[in-house]
Amino acid sequence: MNLDLVPLLFEDSRPGRRCVRHANADKTQASHGLPARELREAPPALPEMGELDLIRHFTRLSQKNFAISTQFYPLGSCTMKYNPVVHEKIAADAAWMGLHPMQPADELQGALGLMHQLQEDLGEATGLPGVTLHPAAGAHGELTGLMVLRAWLDEKGENHRRTILIPDSAHGTNPASCTLAGFHVSTVKSNDLGLTDMEDLKAHLNDSVAGFMVTNPNTLGLFEENIQEICDLVHQAGGKVYMDGANFNAIMGITRPGDFGIDMMHLNLHKSFSTPHGGGGPGSGPICVTQELAKYLPEAIVVKNGESYSWSRPSHCIGRLRAWNGNFGVLVRAYAYVKRLGAVGMKRVAENAVLNANYLRVRCNKHWRVPFDRTCMHEFVARPTKVMKDAGVHTMDIAKRLIEKGIHPPTVYFPLVVSEAIMVEPTETESKETLDAFAEAMTEIAKEACAGDPCLHAAPTNTPVGRVDEARAVKDPQLCFRCS
Ligand SMILES: Cc1ncc(COP(=O)(O)O)c(C=O)c1O
């Protein structure tokens, strides 16, 4: 058979039958239950082409996508790091793919064993032994943790404690999760060093406080140096400390949140533990809690009895927050990641993530303003200098110019405490050559920005879609192909 001649409409490809189901003939034959007025009068004008042209078309389209497998992706906070291909293969193994969550536990022993081991490993890595793999993402983990906190307060008869304190540098999901869980949010200021302002924290502590929700390292890429004192103060005031663990990749293997006083935290397995998530999913946000809080965790914890595994429901369980038991494929990748790296490898990941970020910080601070310019963790925040701003250059112009240079823009306009922020997270997997190329691109852009070069406002000019009106795109989204 000449494959070049295989028509596009495979199901109607027999001679003389092409498109027959779409034409009038359908009206007299089985019309799939559609009313006659909905049926076509004529075959649709579908393009017809050979397989080779088709393959080239889709391959060219796929190459227009920005991907970590082709270009540098230094997306601060959202961490688009390289995820080993072998983990994809392991997760796609037919032995996992063929399972159904409603199978009886004795048919799922391998899967349950993997989940149990992962629970143990995450508990060990965080120093918080109560672990559930149930939540679907980081924000869902936050909600789960806050519901655990509510259950703990309610059992103690302290349901007047309904305020959660959050630093002003926090990710937007933190206050959103508090509100969803029925708490009020009160904001604690950051100090001149970019850390929680201790005096402001103390001023906020009273008997309406349920807890403090802190990201560590925080969203400025800085380790909260007073974290132990913060935890002590909150505990003395009768609250608990929730840690947003989205940045755990900067500290894993080096320090454990449970050891510095954290009561509960989530991990974004899709950020720190090797699942690609650039497009928003799939995700997994296990939470890890102290022994005291473990009895409130949502159901479906895996337990080991002798040599076999089964599901268990904690005694004061808050219930179920989603169907089934998490994104199992993400759990397989996380398990593979932990087992392949081991404790030593995980520590090296964190060290290299921190080293790479500091290397870029020092190279960038020569031309850009780095507001908290001291040793950072896995990411740092920069912004345009006064000269650049006076020349009319905004962070969005820099982001668009980077696209033109083949680099995915870092996160922009976040965290909110830094105006015109550009947040760079190189991750641990990038080579020095790639980091140097980024630093050089930033240097060239800085020179253009100081000169107010109009090319910055026009960028990107070499992409299929050029500069879009971002505000209009949000207010008036055109979500269909070739909308009029
Ligand atoms: C600091 C921080 N907290 C929370 C989240 C929310 O995580 P998720 O997107 O998995 O819901 C993110 C997301 O990247 C984050 O960077």
Side-chain angles (χ1 to χ4, degrees), residues 77-78 137-139 142 171 173 215 244 246 268 270-271:
S77 202
C78 301
E142 292 166 22
H171 192 265
T173 51
T215 307
D244 178 334
N268 301 55
H270 48 288
K271 291 178 67 177

Coordinates of all heavy atoms in Angstrom, one line a residue, residues 77-78 137-139 142 171 173 215 244 246 268 270-271, ligand 1:
S77 N 9.4 29.7 41.4 CA 8.3 29.2 42.2 C 7.5 28.1 41.6 O 7.1 27.2 42.2 CB 7.3 30.4 42.5 OG 6.5 30.1 43.6
C78 N 7.4 28.1 40.3 CA 6.6 27.0 39.6 C 7.5 25.9 39.2 O 7.1 24.8 38.9 CB 5.9 27.5 38.4 SG 4.7 28.8 38.9
A137 N -2.8 18.4 44.6 CA -1.8 19.4 44.2 C -1.4 20.2 45.5 O -1.9 19.9 46.6 CB -2.4 20.4 43.2
G138 N -0.5 21.2 45.3 CA 0.0 21.9 46.4 C -1.2 22.7 47.1 O -1.3 22.6 48.4
A139 N -2.0 23.4 46.3 CA -3.1 24.1 46.9 C -4.1 23.2 47.6 O -4.6 23.6 48.7 CB -3.8 25.0 45.9
E142 N -2.7 22.4 50.9 CA -2.9 23.5 51.9 C -4.3 23.4 52.5 O -4.4 23.4 53.7 CB -2.8 24.8 51.2 CG -1.4 25.2 50.7 CD -1.4 26.3 49.7 OE1 -2.4 27.1 49.7 OE2 -0.5 26.4 48.9
H171 N 2.5 33.0 48.4 CA 1.9 32.6 47.2 C 0.4 32.8 47.3 O -0.2 32.5 48.4 CB 2.2 31.1 46.9 CG 1.9 30.7 45.5 ND1 0.7 30.1 45.2 CD2 2.5 30.8 44.4 CE1 0.6 29.8 44.0 NE2 1.8 30.2 43.4
T173 N -2.1 31.1 46.6 CA -2.9 29.9 47.0 C -3.1 29.9 48.5 O -4.1 29.4 49.1 CB -2.3 28.6 46.6 OG1 -1.0 28.6 47.0 CG2 -2.5 28.4 45.1
T215 N 6.0 30.0 54.0 CA 6.7 29.3 52.9 C 8.2 29.3 53.3 O 8.7 30.4 53.5 CB 6.4 29.9 51.6 OG1 5.0 30.0 51.4 CG2 7.0 29.1 50.4
D244 N 4.3 25.9 53.7 CA 4.1 25.6 52.3 C 5.4 25.1 51.8 O 6.4 25.8 51.8 CB 3.7 27.0 51.6 CG 3.6 26.8 50.1 OD1 4.2 25.9 49.5 OD2 2.9 27.7 49.5
A246 N 6.4 24.1 48.9 CA 6.6 24.1 47.4 C 8.1 24.3 47.1 O 8.5 23.9 46.0 CB 5.8 25.2 46.8
N268 N 5.0 19.5 46.9 CA 4.5 19.4 45.5 C 5.3 18.4 44.8 O 6.4 18.7 44.3 CB 4.6 20.8 44.8 CG 3.9 21.9 45.5 OD1 4.2 22.1 46.7 ND2 3.1 22.6 44.8
H270 N 4.9 17.3 42.0 CA 5.0 17.6 40.6 C 6.0 18.8 40.4 O 6.3 19.1 39.3 CB 3.7 18.0 40.0 CG 2.9 18.9 40.9 ND1 2.3 18.6 42.0 CD2 2.6 20.3 40.7 CE1 1.7 19.6 42.6 NE2 1.9 20.6 41.8
K271 N 6.5 19.3 41.5 CA 7.6 20.3 41.4 C 8.9 19.7 41.8 O 9.9 19.7 41.0 CB 7.3 21.5 42.3 CG 6.2 22.4 41.8 CD 5.9 23.5 42.8 CE 7.0 24.5 42.7 NZ 6.7 25.7 43.6
Ligands
LIG1 C1 5.1 28.8 46.8 C2 3.9 28.0 46.2 N1 2.9 27.7 47.0 C3 1.9 27.0 46.5 C4 1.8 26.6 45.2 C5 0.6 25.9 44.7 O1 0.9 24.6 44.2 P1 0.0 23.9 43.1 O2 0.2 24.6 41.8 O3 0.5 22.5 43.1 O4 -1.4 24.0 43.6 C6 2.9 27.0 44.3 C7 2.8 26.6 42.9 O5 3.7 26.6 42.2 C8 3.9 27.7 44.8 O6 5.0 28.1 44.1

